[in-house]
Amino acid sequence: MNRRFLQLPTRTHQRRMLGIRRSSILRIADRLKESSIEFDLGSYQQLLKRIGSREVDLRDVEDQKIRMVSQGLAARAKDGGQLDELLADAFALVREASRRVLKIRPFDVQVIAGIAMHEGKLAEMQTGEGKTLAAVFPAYLNGLLGRGVHILTFNDYLARRDAEWMGPVYEFLGLSVACIQEGMGRNERQQAYGADVTYLTAKEAGFDYLRDALCLKTGDLVHRAFQFAIVDEADSILIDEARIPLVIAGTSSVPKTDPYYLAAVARGLTLNIDFETDESGRTVALTEVGIDHAQDVLGCSDLYASENLMLLTQLHLALHAATLLRKDVDYIVRDGRVELVDELTGRVVDDRHWPDGLQTALEAKEDLRLQPQGKILGSITLQHFLQSYFKLAGMTATAQPAAEELKTFYGLKVVVIPPNRPCVRIDHADVVFTHREAKHAALVTEITRVHSSGRPILVGTSSVEESEKLAAHLVASGIPCQVLNARTDELEARIIAQAGSPATVTISTNMAGRGTDIHLGGNEEQQYEKVKALGGLYVIGTSRHESLRIDHQLRGRAGRQGDPGSSRFFVSLADELMVRYGIAELIPAKLLPQKQDQPIDHPVIRSEIARAQRIIEGQHFEIRRTLWKYSSLVEEQRRIIQTRRRETLEKGSPSLLSEQAGERYSKLCSVVGEAALRQVERVITLMHIDQYWADHLAEIAHIREGIHLVRLNGQDPLEEFHRRTNDAFFEMLKQIDKAIVETFHSVEVTEQGIDLEKAGLRGPSATWTYFINDDPFEMSMRTLLRSIGFASVAASCLPCMLMLAGWAIYRKCFCKTKAHKRSNGAT
């Protein structure tokens, strides 16, 4: 269904809307305007009535008969029956099965969310409104086809929990259900993907896709053709995680220079003498003094000479790691390994690396054993991977701020589902301070005041470091508290279970901000009414986040299912977000007081902070849109090469060898047989496709690194990137065919096939998967964007690249060797 809906005021969807009929004015307006957000749910009413009617008919039917009805629906679906025609019967079955098996009858709003997801839309449902159960409706209906439905969750724990929790409903209706967990073997994965409904994380599905792309036998494949995916916490996966590449690598490489030595060199450089950082502390650059100092220490005459560019790059990486990456903020060290902390979730992210040698530089900084990086064999962003599904849907509590982006990249319209019970949470205005110390003192005072009443408190902090410092101050003030952060993630379930208990103070990073249900009273039901009478959970944020959606997620921990609750953010103009983006500069000078301990009570300041947050989100959208323009061509190339590879793997490609090596082919065919020879050609082709594609990815990375310098010649970077990448791709295709023929002429062919190792075609002895993390500094994009608003990111890179290019030219052409005195930074 492809209906158009009018975007109504927020207050409308806060009312009970299920009985509201659309007026002729609304219908006309809908036809005139295409919205990315759908508030009016009137069009679902007729379907809801039909489902209710079918449900009544099922109420007294025996369990066995229910299963027979389900089997009949499955037979109709597989015989070509339209799923839309089966929807009312299927949804009524799910509702009745849930009532019998789970002792839960889904609310009307959950059924409507299920209809929206079946239609390929994104259902926005508030925290505690039952998204997990709502997803069963479309999953069951689409699972009737027997082609597989994937429900992509936020982490392995939720995949296992939801599969175990909802599994009995599917099984009652005759569908199989399974889940994928990290560490599963190939056979287990094949069985799980073979189920009608499979719960797993998006990254596990993506990594399995990359592994399949390296298989040499069809029996090793784990995935089926992609049919339908429902994405839980969709804004996080589809927006925040979407442009992060998933990588499969092999063949360990050794750094050409000693990272430990470069780490020591970086530690010996002095801020504002040897190097400088930008105003927000996100980029770092050597000064003239620092370059000469580094050249003396490293024993090279010119770091900018072509033979020393790799050394210069690795020195910059060491300097980045030493000065800009903060322990217990950007990463933690645990069990002898660097573990990255996701800024959005506050969690340690398994199998995520920083790119381009930065991970190695960080390990050297912390004097840890270097982990292998290896050669990238395959890569795909979650954004492109998720678009492989024939149909995509999603659910989350915070979709509206990202509605335009979801529509642009995925064609997903956001359907706002009202809560079953009105939300009565009170969201207080921000309390703003001039400096951090005043904010911190106010936080301790506020927590102490509320704790004395016995009301539970959840405090959301921005980092591991901040959570531990605040906890230490509270303990010193006599306030016991629980700390949940990346260092204590193994205690998460226990801490969250008690976070709603009376007089409990929980200090958390963003770990408690998404996918976490905090029940009033904790594990003790008798405490529920007591906590409810106290006002429910009190949520405090210690700073604003770059994404408004993350702030909304934190607020959403309170006020679930009509429970009372409140939220408030304490911020200072010295917070990292405020400084990084120069938010104080947006506030009229006459409204900014001198440093003071009292909060700044002015609505203009609060509105400017909120406006800046919206601007930042818009900048991020522009960055993602520009990166999409660069990555889309590479993705199209990947699809072309993978289509050829898959056809070769499954069917065998049209014989290149019989055409270009006809004499040898005919001779060997009479000796070993055509079947054996076709298998030899299949293996040779697959191995060369993999080898050349990996080389092509390395070439693309090389092109991308310096593409913006072409502006110096008046060329458009995007057009030039496309031209160079296309040239490299078509050259690669020719080289693959050439290499296949050359290998065939040189390899020894027997009835057993070929010796891959002897032929020089042995693949990597081991492979591993990981994310490439976003560049933590984003090449000054944020700073540049702040100064030019919403101009294109490609254009915003020009000043930065001009400076870099100009600096290199200046160094090469005009700088003479000078002896710099390091005392006081004088020349």
Side-chain angles (χ1 to χ4, degrees):
M1 300 175 67
N2 185 22
R3 300 181 183 271
R4 294 180 174 88
F5 297 91
L6 174 68
Q7 182 168 333
L8 300 175
T10 303
R11 65 175 181 273
T12 303
H13 73 85
Q14 291 177 340
R15 294 158 47 195
R16 295 298 300 270
M17 301 180 62
L18 300 181
I20 297 177
R21 298 180 60 85
R22 285 158 40 106
S23 68
S24 59
I25 295 176
L26 288 177
R27 290 196 294 271
I28 293 170
D30 280 353
R31 288 195 292 270
L32 293 175
K33 181 179 180 181
E34 176 71 31
S35 173
S36 59
I37 306 178
E38 180 180 334
F39 289 113
D40 184 10
L41 306 182
S43 63
Y44 297 93
Q45 278 301 293
Q46 197 61 37
L47 262 177
L48 192 63
K49 289 179 181 178
R50 288 169 54 198
I51 293 166
S53 176
R54 303 289 203 282
E55 182 189 2
V56 171
D57 295 339
L58 295 171
R59 185 57 55 90
D60 297 323
V61 175
E62 295 180 355
D63 289 358
Q64 187 60 36
K65 183 66 178 296
I66 293 284
R67 295 188 186 96
M68 291 175 62
V69 173
S70 180
Q71 290 170 5
L73 288 182
R76 289 170 60 188
K78 292 171 184 175
D79 286 342
Q82 295 297 311
L83 292 184
D84 287 352
E85 296 174 0
L86 306 179
L87 187 149
D89 289 323
F91 277 40
L93 282 171
V94 171
R95 205 172 197 178
E96 180 62 18
S98 174
R99 187 184 69 84
R100 297 187 185 196
V101 177
L102 302 179
K103 310 304 179 187
I104 299 172
R105 182 183 180 271
F107 302 123
D108 285 353
V109 288
Q110 290 173 290
V111 177
I112 290 175
I115 297 172
M117 285 187 275
H118 166 67
E119 293 176 350
K121 299 175 182 177
L122 195 154
E124 182 183 84
M125 302 177 69
Q126 298 307 308
T127 300
E129 290 296 310
K131 293 189 292 292
T132 303
L133 182 53
V136 176
F137 289 93
Y140 167 73
L141 175 58
N142 287 266
L144 293 173
L145 293 169
R147 299 172 189 168
V149 173
H150 294 172
I151 300 182
L152 304 177
T153 65
F154 198 56
N155 55 47
D156 271 2
Y157 162 72
L158 291 176
R160 183 176 65 255
R161 184 203 70 179
D162 293 353
E164 292 173 352
W165 187 12
M166 298 293 114
V169 177
Y170 296 111
E171 292 165 355
F172 181 83
L173 296 173
L175 264 60
S176 56
V177 62
C179 75
I180 300 284
Q181 299 282 282
E182 185 177 355
M184 273 187 172
R186 178 185 298 148
N187 291 337
E188 292 177 295
R189 289 174 184 270
Q190 288 173 333
Q191 292 176 12
Y193 283 121
D196 295 313
V197 179
T198 306
Y199 287 80
L200 72 162
T201 63
K203 74 164 189 174
E204 285 299 317
F207 285 145
D208 282 335
Y209 177 80
L210 292 176
R211 293 186 190 100
D212 278 358
L214 295 174
C215 287
L216 298 179
K217 297 183 294 185
T218 55
D220 290 341
L221 299 173
V222 299
H223 271 301
R224 294 189 279 174
F226 295 113
Q227 184 65 23
F228 179 40
I230 301 171
V231 185
D232 193 9
E233 302 296 351
D235 60 316
S236 178
I237 294 174
L238 297 178
I239 301 297
D240 301 329
E241 303 278 353
R243 66 189 174 106
I244 304 176
L246 289 77
V247 170
I248 185 167
T251 312
S252 179
S253 60
V254 179
K256 295 181 179 179
T257 56
D258 184 356
Y260 298 106
Y261 178 64
L262 291 178
V265 172
R267 283 193 296 269
L269 300 177
T270 304
L271 178 64
N272 295 327
I273 296 177
D274 296 312
F275 67 92
E276 297 174 342
T277 63
D278 69 345
E279 61 181 14
S280 57
R282 301 294 286 178
T283 60
V284 62
L286 289 167
T287 63
E288 271 290 302
V289 174
I291 290 169
D292 289 343
H293 178 213
Q295 287 173 172
D296 291 341
V297 174
L298 296 171
C300 61
S301 58
D302 186 1
L303 270 174
Y304 284 82
S306 58
E307 65 272 15
N308 292 326
L309 286 180
M310 180 60 71
L311 179 62
L312 175 62
T313 298
Q314 292 179 329
L315 177 60
H316 268 284
L317 290 172
L319 195 56
H320 270 292
T323 61
L324 300 182
L325 289 180
R326 298 159 298 171
K327 187 176 181 180
D328 294 336
V329 176
D330 302 301
Y331 67 95
I332 64 171
V333 175
R334 184 164 58 181
D335 299 328
R337 296 173 66 96
V338 167
E339 297 185 339
L340 276 64
V341 177
D342 190 319
E343 180 183 9
L344 299 174
T345 66
R347 300 174 186 273
V348 163
V349 186
D350 293 330
D351 297 326
R352 184 173 293 186
H353 292 187
W354 273 312
D356 304 324
L358 189 56
Q359 184 83 12
T360 297
L362 189 59
E363 290 163 349
K365 166 191 173 181
E366 296 293 341
D367 198 26
L368 302 173
R369 182 172 177 269
L370 301 182
Q371 301 299 316
Q373 293 193 74
K375 182 177 184 179
I376 293 177
L377 305 176
S379 175
I380 188 172
T381 63
L382 280 174
Q383 190 173 53
H384 288 124
F385 168 70
L386 291 170
Q387 290 175 338
S388 301
Y389 286 90
F390 178 75
K391 184 166 72 172
L392 190 67
M395 51 188 183
T396 185
T398 47
Q400 290 186 62
E404 180 186 354
E405 190 164 352
L406 291 164
K407 185 88 179 297
T408 299
F409 289 129
Y410 301 98
L412 287 172
K413 176 179 281 191
V414 173
V415 180
V416 179
I417 309 295
N420 183 57
R421 296 176 182 173
C423 179
V424 297
R425 184 185 67 240
I426 301 171
D427 295 327
H428 296 286
D430 292 358
V431 185
V432 184
F433 295 87
T434 56
H435 57 294
R436 290 183 181 181
E437 291 75 15
K439 179 187 78 170
H440 186 83
L443 274 169
V444 174
T445 300
E446 176 72 354
I447 293 170
T448 302
R449 180 187 69 81
V450 176
H451 174 70
S452 64
S453 72
R455 187 179 179 189
I457 304 170
L458 172 67
V459 184
T461 63
S462 61
S463 68
V464 174
E465 181 182 52
E466 184 184 14
S467 66
E468 293 177 346
K469 284 184 177 179
L470 179 57
H473 278 86
L474 290 175
V475 171
S477 301
I479 308 294
C481 58
Q482 295 290 324
V483 179
L484 176 60
N485 58 35
R487 219 193 305 274
T488 60
D489 52 3
E490 73 280 359
L491 304 175
E492 178 177 3
R494 181 174 64 79
I495 292 173
I496 291 299
Q498 295 302 319
S501 300
T504 298
V505 178
T506 306
I507 312 296
S508 176
T509 56
N510 288 336
M511 286 179 67
R514 187 183 288 273
T516 302
D517 282 341
I518 297 176
H519 298 272
L520 300 189
N523 288 335
E524 301 180 27
E525 283 297 325
Q526 65 271 23
Q527 297 287 354
Y528 170 79
E529 291 298 334
K530 177 180 179 180
V531 174
K532 184 177 178 180
L534 291 170
L537 183 67
Y538 183 29
V539 172
I540 298 175
T542 65
S543 61
R544 282 288 190 170
H545 196 275
E546 288 183 3
S547 171
L548 186 63
R549 291 177 290 108
I550 305 302
D551 292 341
H552 287 340
Q553 286 284 351
L554 179 60
R555 289 191 193 276
R557 298 317 99 192
R560 61 188 302 277
Q561 277 292 326
D563 285 340
S566 60
S567 69
R568 191 192 304 270
F569 280 83
F570 286 69
V571 299
S572 85
L573 298 179
D575 288 345
E576 182 181 351
L577 178 71
M578 309 295 180
V579 173
R580 187 188 307 169
Y581 292 99
I583 291 176
E585 299 168 12
L586 302 176
I587 301 173
K590 62 182 180 180
L591 298 180
L592 280 177
Q594 297 296 318
K595 190 175 182 180
Q596 63 180 41
D597 292 336
Q598 299 303 313
I600 311 169
D601 188 15
H602 201 293
V604 171
I605 292 178
R606 286 191 288 268
S607 68
E608 284 299 318
I609 292 173
R611 183 172 73 91
Q613 204 171 21
R614 292 192 296 271
I615 292 173
I616 293 166
E617 287 194 324
Q619 293 172 358
H620 287 180
F621 183 18
E622 290 299 321
I623 291 172
R624 288 190 286 266
R625 178 152 41 194
T626 298
L627 291 175
W628 169 263
K629 294 176 183 177
Y630 280 88
S631 64
S632 291
L633 175 64
V634 180
E635 170 61 14
E636 185 59 33
Q637 293 176 351
R638 188 196 62 77
R639 289 178 180 175
I640 292 171
I641 201 71
Q642 283 303 317
T643 297
R644 177 180 177 184
R645 192 188 194 283
R646 192 63 174 253
E647 290 176 350
T648 301
L649 177 66
E650 295 179 347
K651 305 172 185 176
S653 57
S655 181
L656 174 73
L657 298 180
S658 63
E659 297 174 3
Q660 299 191 22
E663 183 178 348
R664 177 169 168 78
Y665 189 90
S666 299
K667 181 178 178 181
L668 284 172
C669 192
S670 62
V671 176
V672 302
E674 185 173 7
L677 204 55
R678 294 298 294 269
Q679 177 61 20
V680 167
E681 182 171 2
R682 178 185 285 111
V683 171
I684 292 175
T685 302
L686 293 174
M687 296 298 289
H688 279 305
I689 287 175
D690 294 344
Q691 176 187 358
Y692 279 89
W693 178 247
D695 291 342
H696 183 63
L697 290 176
E699 176 66 13
I700 289 172
H702 175 71
I703 294 171
R704 189 172 54 235
E705 283 174 4
I707 195 62
H708 287 282
L709 289 174
V710 303
R711 281 194 181 275
L712 296 174
N713 293 327
Q715 297 169 292
D716 179 77
L718 181 60
E719 289 183 6
E720 185 64 13
F721 177 80
H722 281 191
R723 186 189 68 78
R724 294 185 188 183
T725 303
N726 265 328
D727 289 348
F729 181 71
F730 289 115
E731 178 62 25
M732 177 197 70
L733 294 180
K734 290 192 294 185
Q735 291 299 321
I736 288 173
D737 289 347
K738 181 180 178 181
I740 292 169
V741 175
E742 290 178 350
T743 298
F744 180 66
H745 277 299
S746 63
V747 75
E748 180 182 351
V749 180
T750 67
E751 292 182 359
Q752 285 72 42
I754 60 174
D755 186 330
L756 291 174
E757 192 163 347
K758 189 175 180 180
L761 295 175
R762 174 62 65 185
S765 56
T767 61
W768 61 97
T769 54
Y770 56 88
F771 281 111
I772 294 180
N773 199 60
D774 279 330
D775 180 355
F777 315 107
E778 295 198 23
M779 298 298 293
S780 296
M781 280 187 176
R782 293 169 173 167
T783 304
L784 291 166
L785 279 168
R786 189 184 69 225
S787 65
I788 62 175
F790 290 97
S792 71
V793 176
S796 75
C797 289
L798 176 59
C800 181
M801 302 314 297
L802 284 173
M803 286 188 292
L804 289 172
W807 177 251
I809 294 169
Y810 171 75
R811 286 284 304 169
K812 284 298 236 180
C813 301
F814 300 106
C815 281
K816 300 183 181 296
T817 303
K818 297 179 181 179
H820 291 275
K821 297 180 181 179
R822 291 187 39 76
S823 59
N824 299 320
T827 58

